[in-house]
């Protein structure tokens, strides 16, 4: 298709503009290209990448967010997990693996920190209750029923 400007007044037609149907036929022929009788077959090959399994740790991050959210590490891990899932949906496997690795490290840190906090709380509670029980037993004399 020629994109140069053409004058509608033609010397062969006596100075009159060309017929609309004639212009339409010229454009249809130029758009269609080869005639219908040709046996040219066009094929399109789409290379689909194999499905790469990148764990995004969303469930683990959600669990840490809801139950063991010490120092907001679970919430930050959940944010990185969602970013990893988004990168995986876009097709950026390298970015998804980077965000998933960060989410995994944050989840491990959150879990270890939370378990240590629970153990420390149990130790503090048990020693405090033992001290309180011992002080109460010394103040109240036992009546030997």
């Amino acid at each position: 298709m020629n994109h140069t400007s053409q004058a509608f007044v033609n010397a062969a037609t006596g100075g009159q503009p060309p017929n609309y149907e004639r212009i339409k036929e010229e454009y249809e022929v130029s758009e269609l290209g080869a005639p219908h009788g040709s046996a040219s077959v066009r094929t399109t090959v789409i290379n689909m990448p194999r499905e790469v399994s990148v764990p995004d740790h969303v469930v683990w991050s959600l669990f840490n967010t809801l139950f063991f959210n010490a120092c907001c590490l679970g919430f930050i891990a959940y944010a990185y997990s969602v970013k990893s899932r988004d990168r995986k949906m876009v097709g950026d496997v390298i970015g998804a693996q980077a965000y998933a690795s960060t989410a995994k490290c944050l989840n491990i840190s959150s879990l270890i920190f939370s378990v240590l906090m629970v153990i420390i709380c149990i130790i503090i509670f048990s020693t405090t209750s033992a001290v309180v029980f011992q002080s109460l037993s010394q103040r109240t004399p036992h009546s030997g029923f």
Side-chain angles (χ1 to χ4, degrees):
M1 184 184 272
N2 190 3
H3 292 292
T4 59
S5 61
Q6 298 176 359
F8 284 110
V9 180
N10 201 346
T13 59
Q16 302 216 348
N19 191 2
Y20 173 74
E21 293 298 324
R22 183 173 166 203
I23 293 174
K24 184 178 175 184
E25 288 175 4
E26 288 176 8
Y27 281 117
E28 285 178 0
V29 169
S30 66
E31 287 178 3
L32 291 177
H36 294 293
S38 68
S40 65
V41 178
R42 295 183 186 199
T43 59
T44 303
V45 177
I46 300 174
N47 292 327
M48 298 296 291
R50 60 181 174 85
E51 192 65 31
V52 177
S53 177
V54 177
D56 49 16
H57 309 292
V58 172
V59 177
W60 188 14
S61 300
L62 188 63
F63 179 79
N64 281 339
T65 300
L66 295 176
F67 297 111
F68 297 130
N69 198 15
C71 297
C72 295
L73 289 176
F75 181 72
I76 297 169
Y78 183 71
Y80 275 96
S81 298
V82 169
K83 285 182 180 183
S84 172
R85 182 168 282 186
D86 289 343
R87 291 284 96 199
K88 185 168 60 171
M89 291 299 163
V90 170
D92 182 15
V93 178
I94 305 292
Q97 287 173 343
Y99 282 125
S101 173
T102 304
K104 182 179 178 181
C105 290
L106 288 170
N107 279 323
I108 291 171
S109 301
S110 174
L111 186 65
I112 290 173
F113 190 68
S114 298
V115 167
L116 287 176
M117 291 301 291
V118 167
I119 291 172
I120 289 171
C121 286
I122 289 173
I123 290 171
I124 290 173
F125 179 74
S126 63
T127 55
T128 305
S129 50
V131 168
V132 168
F133 179 71
Q134 192 175 32
S135 67
L136 285 176
S137 66
Q138 287 178 356
R139 291 179 100 195
T140 313
H142 294 288
S143 57
F145 290 65

